[in-house]
């Protein structure tokens, strides 16, 4: 089978059919449809409790043309382990794929994920990350970004939105030193194709983390999913990289960092955010930006904060010069 | 055939080995631990060709088991107490997807007022999960029922998971003489697992999609009927087993000295062993006592029980668990089965949290039952062996 390098290499052979019940513009549906196109007919899919489990297969119909299995919420790492073991015993050549949401991965499913990583199970684990428990109606998860409104991080008179930052799941995954882990964006498609194709060709635990904008949860116009996914990368809210053989490598570097407000202003979940909260988020983003892309890029957005930091922290002690 | 002196847990592990199970997800919990340790040794010594998969919790144990069974291979695991409780959510998956997983549960008390000792309060609540549930009395039965359980679970008329319950420590850690059958004989009794539905990219199916209300009731009805129809398979399998191995365990019920009995008690697990001793003593005194051992709580032997108690003047039920502020679960089931009968039935609760169950306590149980033949019992439920004034 030829290696895939980008959009043009994808076969329009659908294994996740249209006619499913996802919202128009759903990032999860776009991600799954394209992951399945790239993985091809030999995949066996496990989906835990999530939006995908509701919109993809309701008795007696299914949008999956591959074998499909569901049982519960917190066990993607474990059920895929079981299927993999059975296939190994039966000599079945198949990709065993788990497709879980951020709640099912960052939170309730973290234990089973860690254990499967620890055993280096031969599975492809896809986390479709829409940054909240969207299936149950937009409750905060540990993936929800700072400041975001959800039904369990509401905008009150005393507390507005989520007060903690998005959990760095990839760091946790990397700590297990898997053969392959990558972050993907549905708006950076050549990068997306290359990473899914790479995961498909490898063995051992492969982790694909995809940011999947959510129309009702993020509160934006459904035609804007790709635009928002792009802006996530350009503002540093999402970074594209891959982890392989113990090394992390950036796969796409934005030309310049856009202020986070460019990303926030399109989404209702951030509409309430005041200047202080935006600054807090931007400061966190700048730190992340430098970590991901290196200090040699002195972008204006972050430079402002660097100056502020110096004024704030310089205590006139010569030993404490930055 | 080889004779070994082994614990109940090791007997179960031998059963799994002889059944040629292919996938064993495992997590340690007392008093089940010896089972998975023994299987790990079998596998690492090359004596058993199985995937032994250590996972991070019992929830994941059952998740792996369900995945492997859906993937089409014979799957076994074991648990106890808190572990079974942690599995609770996943227990419901196997029956409703009709996956023939077999699991041993080394019965142990659950929750606060914590202890690691024998009680049936862990497995009794799981009667509602859709699993078939068998309670064994000795180590030989623990091994033999592991083999029978796979035949039963994988019977195409049944296709349901089976839980084999053995009394924690009393069986799990006590060594007894056990006949270990020949592999060839077991292979004749238990052929390779042939799944009805299986995950397979060459023939894709969707397994366990979301079930909307318009189909849900029918799904549950089918499961209910499947559990009921397992009764026929249980009978047939035990007959075939006794022909091949010379050991029979009766049916859903195991009756002891019930011929001409005037009063009897119902017991499960090792309480039946102690009860046999008491029955023998009473019979020697000329009293017409008998014992009904319930082997399967699911399917529940309703018809068989009605038949077994006909001719009795009084019945007692021994419970090693309690449904708080109600009755013992076995009593509830027994009295429901006998609804409409005028037979006086009393419940007797003792031996909780590992408290010794002595012949003296069971003698008192039989005494209350005997008395209830003549005069109306004071109450429905008797707690025996309480210390001090309660």
């Amino acid at each position: 089978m030829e290696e895939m390098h980008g959009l043009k290499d994808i076969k329009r052979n659908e294994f996740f059919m249209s006619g499913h019940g996802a919202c128009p513009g759903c990032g999860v549906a776009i991600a799954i449809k394209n992951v399945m196109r790239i993985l091809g007919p030999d995949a066996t899919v496990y989906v835990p409790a999530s939006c995908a489990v509701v919109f993809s297969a309701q008795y007696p119909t299914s949008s999956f043309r591959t074998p499909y299995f569901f049982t519960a919420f917190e066990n993607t790492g474990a059920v895929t382990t079981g299927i993999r073991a059975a296939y190994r015993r039966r000599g079945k050549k198949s990709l065993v794929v788990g497709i879980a949401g951020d709640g099912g991965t960052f939170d309730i499913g973290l234990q089973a994920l860690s254990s499967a990583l620890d055993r280096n199970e031969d599975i492809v684990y896809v986390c479709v990350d829409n940054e909240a428990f969207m299936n149950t109606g937009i409750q905060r998860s540990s993936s929800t970004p700072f400041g975001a409104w959800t039904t369990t991080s509401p905008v009150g008179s005393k507390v507005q939105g989520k007060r903690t930052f998005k959990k760095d799941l990839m760091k946790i995954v990397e700590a297990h030193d898997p053969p392959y882990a990558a972050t993907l964006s549905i708006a950076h498609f050549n990068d997306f194709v290359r990473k899914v194709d790479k995961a498909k060709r490898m063995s051992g635990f492969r982790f694909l983390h995809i940011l999947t904008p959510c129309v009702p949860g993020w509160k934006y116009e459904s035609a804007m999913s790709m635009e928002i996914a792009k802006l996530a990368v350009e503002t540093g809210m999402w970074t594209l990289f891959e982890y392989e053989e113990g090394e992390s490598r950036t796969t796409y570097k934005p030309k310049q960092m856009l202020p986070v407000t460019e990303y926030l202003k399109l989404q209702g979940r951030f509409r309430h955010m005041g200047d202080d909260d935006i600054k807090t988020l931007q400061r966190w983003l700048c730190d992340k930006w430098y970590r991901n892309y290196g200090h040699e890029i002195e972008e204006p957005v972050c430079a402002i904060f660097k100056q502020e930091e110096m004024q704030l922290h310089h205590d006139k002690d010569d030993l404490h010069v930055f | 055939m080889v004779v070994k002196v082994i614990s109940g847990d090791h007997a179960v592990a031998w059963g799994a080995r002889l059944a040629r199970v292919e996938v064993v997800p495992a997590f340690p919990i007392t008093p089940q631990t010896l089972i998975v340790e023994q299987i790990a040794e079998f596998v690492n010594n090359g004596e058993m060709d199985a995937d032994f998969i250590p996972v991070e919790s019992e929830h994941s144990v059952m998740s792996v088991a369900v995945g492997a069974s859906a993937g089409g291979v014979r799957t076994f695991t074991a648990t106890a107490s808190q572990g079974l409780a942690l599995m609770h959510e996943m227990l419901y998956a196997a029956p409703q997807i009709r996956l023939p997983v077999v699991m041993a549960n080394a019965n142990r008390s659950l929750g606060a007022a914590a202890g690691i000792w024998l009680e049936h309060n862990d497995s009794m609540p799981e009667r509602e999960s859709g699993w078939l549930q068998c309670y064994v009395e000795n180590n030989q039965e623990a091994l033999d029922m592991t083999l029978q359980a796979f035949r039963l679970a994988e019977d195409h008329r049944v296709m349901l998971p089976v839980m084999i319950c053995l009394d924690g420590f009393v069986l799990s850690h006590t060594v007894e003489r056990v006949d270990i059958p020949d592999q060839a004989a077991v292979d004749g009794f238990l052929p390779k697992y042939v799944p009805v539905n299986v995950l397979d990219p060459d023939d894709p199916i969707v397994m366990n999609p979301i079930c909307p209300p318009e189909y849900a009731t029918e799904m549950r009805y089918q499961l209910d009927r499947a559990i009921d129809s397992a009764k026929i398979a249980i009978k047939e399998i035990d007959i075939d087993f006794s022909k091949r191995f010379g050991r029979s365990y009766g049916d859903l019920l195991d009756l002891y000295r019930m011929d001409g009995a005037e009063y009897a008690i119902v017991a499960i697990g090792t309480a039946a062993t102690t009860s046999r001793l008491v029955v023998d003593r009473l019979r020697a005194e000329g009293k017409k006592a008998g014992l009904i051992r319930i082997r399967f709580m699911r399917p529940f032997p309703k018809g068989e029980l009605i038949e077994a108690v006909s001719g009795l003047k009084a019945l007692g039920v021994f419970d090693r668990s309690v449904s708080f502020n109600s009755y013992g679960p076995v009593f509830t089931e027994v009295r429901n089965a006998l609804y409409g009968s005028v037979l006086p039935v009393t419940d007797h609760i003792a031996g909780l949290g590992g408290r010794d169950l002595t012949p003296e306590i069971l003698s008192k149980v039989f005494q209350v039952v005997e008395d209830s033949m003549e005069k109306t019992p004071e109450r429905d439920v008797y707690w025996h062996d309480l210390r001090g004034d309660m």
Side-chain angles (χ1 to χ4, degrees):
Chain A
M1 213 179 290
E2 296 267 312
E3 231 175 273
M4 294 186 192
H5 301 287
L7 183 57
K8 285 178 190 157
D9 299 325
I10 282 200
K11 289 204 176 61
R12 289 297 298 267
N13 194 354
E14 305 294 5
F15 296 98
F16 183 70
M17 311 293 287
S18 55
H20 55 71
C23 308
C26 170
V28 172
I30 294 166
I32 294 176
K33 190 177 190 70
N34 289 299
V35 165
M36 294 307 292
R37 275 175 175 167
I38 300 162
L39 295 183
D42 293 330
T44 295
V45 178
Y46 178 74
V47 181
S50 59
C51 282
V53 89
V54 175
F55 71 63
S56 61
Q58 275 211 27
Y59 185 83
T61 65
S62 170
S63 280
F64 280 100
R65 282 176 63 203
T66 58
Y68 166 95
F69 193 42
F70 156 68
T71 64
F73 199 173
E74 59 279 61
N75 58 11
T76 308
V79 176
T80 48
T81 295
I83 299 170
R84 179 76 267 164
Y87 279 3
R88 191 160 52 233
R89 310 258 351 155
R90 287 171 55 215
K92 278 279 160 197
K93 291 253 179 284
S94 175
L95 287 161
V96 178
V97 187
I99 305 178
D102 50 290
T105 304
F106 284 62
D107 296 328
I108 196 167
L110 187 65
Q111 190 167 278
L113 167 67
S114 171
S115 191
L117 271 159
D118 165 55
R119 296 186 305 271
N120 193 24
E121 293 293 342
D122 185 21
I123 56 182
V124 179
Y125 190 120
V126 181
C127 174
V128 280
D129 182 1
N130 53 24
E131 301 191 324
F133 290 86
M134 297 306 184
N135 183 23
T136 37
I138 322 166
Q139 293 82 26
R140 61 84 82 190
S141 77
S142 58
S143 171
T144 305
F146 175 85
W149 163 91
T150 69
T151 58
T152 49
S153 58
V155 179
S157 54
K158 198 173 168 193
V159 180
Q160 289 85 42
K162 195 195 180 203
R163 304 318 298 171
T164 53
F165 297 95
K166 185 182 173 97
K167 186 194 275 183
D168 193 346
L169 183 74
M170 284 296 280
K171 278 275 187 295
I172 298 172
V173 172
E174 284 175 24
H176 296 78
D177 196 19
Y180 189 66
T183 57
L184 294 80
S185 160
I186 55 168
H188 293 71
F189 212 73
N190 289 337
D191 184 72
F192 185 104
V193 173
R194 207 184 48 75
K195 285 170 176 168
V196 179
D197 185 57
K198 195 169 190 176
K200 176 186 172 181
R201 286 159 195 286
M202 295 177 78
S203 59
F205 199 95
R206 293 145 284 169
F207 188 78
L208 301 174
H209 189 184
I210 312 175
L211 184 72
T212 52
C214 171
V215 176
W218 295 11
K219 302 199 176 297
Y220 63 85
E221 291 298 322
S222 57
M224 297 295 284
S225 295
M226 288 297 166
E227 186 63 27
I228 285 174
K230 252 182 220 161
L231 280 167
V233 175
E234 300 301 321
T235 57
M237 284 291 275
W238 190 249
T239 43
L240 294 172
F241 64 100
E242 61 188 2
Y243 177 88
E244 204 179 344
E245 289 172 0
E247 298 275 335
S248 221
R249 189 177 74 83
T250 304
T251 58
Y252 171 83
K253 195 180 277 187
K255 285 195 179 66
Q256 60 164 24
M257 187 183 202
L258 295 181
V260 74
T261 45
E262 295 299 305
Y263 178 69
L264 305 184
K265 70 185 182 188
L266 294 173
Q267 302 174 51
R269 63 174 172 158
F270 298 116
R271 189 165 297 140
H272 59 278
M273 276 173 81
D275 285 349
D276 283 353
D277 276 359
I278 291 172
K279 269 192 174 176
T280 304
L281 180 61
Q282 186 67 66
R283 192 187 304 272
W284 178 78
L285 268 180
C286 286
D287 284 347
K288 224 160 70 85
W289 181 276
Y290 285 126
R291 239 187 356 254
N292 290 319
Y293 301 125
H295 281 263
E296 71 275 14
I297 311 168
E298 279 290 325
E299 295 302 334
V301 179
C302 295
I304 296 161
F305 287 101
K306 273 210 99 182
Q307 281 166 10
E308 278 185 14
E309 298 270 316
M310 285 175 76
Q311 284 160 7
L312 271 172
H313 292 115
H314 199 273
D315 58 2
K316 312 275 195 258
D317 184 337
D318 288 341
L319 290 173
H320 292 183
V321 177
F322 291 96
Chain B
M1 192 188 72
V2 182
V3 175
K4 282 182 184 286
V5 178
I6 53 174
S7 69
D9 274 359
H10 284 176
V12 168
W14 268 98
R17 169 176 161 174
L18 290 166
R20 296 190 186 276
V21 301
E22 296 196 77
V23 174
V24 184
F27 191 83
I29 183 164
T30 304
Q32 167 268 98
T33 327
L34 306 183
I35 300 176
V36 295
E37 284 174 348
Q38 179 70 83
I39 291 175
E41 278 188 33
F42 284 154
V43 171
N44 279 11
N45 288 332
E47 294 160 336
M48 186 172 164
D49 177 22
D51 277 40
F52 181 82
I53 305 174
V55 295
E56 82 291 353
S57 78
E58 282 93 346
H59 190 283
S60 280
V61 162
M62 193 42 63
S63 298
V64 172
V66 159
S69 190
V73 298
R74 186 170 286 160
T75 306
F76 174 83
T77 190
T79 191
S81 184
Q82 315 279 137
L84 185 65
L86 184 53
M87 272 181 197
H88 175 75
E89 182 196 20
M90 289 312 297
L91 287 180
Y92 280 71
Q96 306 218 25
I97 311 174
R98 307 295 292 272
L99 298 172
V101 178
V102 170
M103 175 166 71
N105 181 62
N107 281 101
R108 165 190 152 183
S109 64
L110 177 63
I116 56 168
W117 299 281
L118 171 58
E119 199 172 294
H120 291 149
N121 251 70
D122 55 352
S123 57
M124 283 297 164
E126 306 304 352
R127 287 169 299 154
E128 323 300 349
S129 65
W131 282 63
L132 306 185
Q133 225 183 44
C134 173
Y135 290 78
V136 301
E137 192 184 339
N138 55 50
N139 294 357
Q140 185 69 59
E141 192 181 7
L143 189 159
D144 292 348
M145 280 314 294
T146 308
L147 302 176
Q148 288 200 24
F150 280 107
R151 259 283 288 270
L152 174 61
E154 295 166 7
D155 189 308
H156 283 196
R157 296 166 296 179
V158 181
M159 294 306 289
L160 288 169
V162 180
M163 189 185 298
I164 302 156
C165 298
L166 65 156
D167 287 352
F169 293 103
V170 175
L171 290 185
S172 69
H173 285 61
T174 304
V175 294
E176 288 183 337
R177 178 192 187 280
V178 175
D179 286 356
I180 299 184
D182 288 338
Q183 184 67 64
V186 174
D187 291 345
F189 171 75
L190 185 63
K192 195 172 165 60
Y193 168 44
V194 181
V196 175
N197 291 311
V198 66
L199 294 171
D200 191 338
D202 297 327
D203 185 16
I205 59 164
V206 166
M207 216 182 258
N208 194 30
I210 297 292
C211 182
E214 55 263 49
Y215 302 102
T217 308
E218 286 72 16
M219 297 274 184
R220 281 140 185 75
Y221 177 75
Q222 287 176 29
L223 173 56
D224 183 76
R225 293 297 84 205
I227 295 170
D228 204 56
S229 66
K231 287 178 178 177
I232 300 157
I234 289 168
K235 280 193 186 89
E236 290 175 4
I237 291 164
D238 192 56
I239 290 166
D240 187 39
F241 189 88
S242 72
K243 274 185 199 152
R244 291 168 187 268
F245 300 99
R247 290 186 293 273
S248 171
Y249 294 96
D251 199 339
L252 298 152
L253 298 178
D254 170 17
L255 305 180
Y256 184 67
R257 302 194 81 162
M258 285 298 288
D259 287 343
E262 289 184 339
Y263 65 107
I265 70 160
V266 170
I268 64 172
T270 53
T273 314
T274 319
S275 300
R276 286 175 207 274
L277 178 76
V278 177
V279 167
D280 287 347
R281 285 182 187 170
L282 292 169
R283 286 278 181 167
E285 292 168 20
K287 292 181 173 175
K288 291 176 176 171
L291 168 71
I292 299 167
R293 177 167 74 102
I294 290 184
R295 297 185 62 240
F296 279 83
M297 286 300 287
R298 289 288 180 278
F300 191 77
K302 186 187 170 192
E304 290 79 358
L305 193 67
I306 291 170
E307 205 178 307
V309 302
S310 70
L312 289 182
K313 292 178 184 163
L315 182 70
V317 178
F318 179 77
D319 265 292
R320 212 161 198 156
S321 52
V322 55
S323 181
F324 290 109
N325 199 31
S326 179
Y327 307 100
V330 184
F331 174 77
T332 305
E333 300 256 358
V334 167
R335 199 165 66 165
N336 271 346
L338 303 181
Y339 180 75
S341 153
V342 293
L343 185 70
V345 189
T346 45
D347 191 14
H348 303 270
I349 294 171
L352 298 185
R355 181 80 62 86
D356 264 359
L357 179 65
T358 60
E360 287 64 42
I361 295 167
L362 281 164
S363 296
K364 284 178 194 157
V365 171
F366 272 97
Q367 188 60 55
V368 174
V369 180
E370 188 186 353
D371 292 347
S372 70
M373 291 197 292
E374 300 298 332
K375 56 175 197 238
T376 311
E378 287 169 30
R379 54 187 100 105
D380 288 341
V381 186
Y382 290 80
W383 287 65
H384 295 270
D385 199 29
L386 286 170
R387 297 168 63 218
D389 297 325
M390 297 292 279

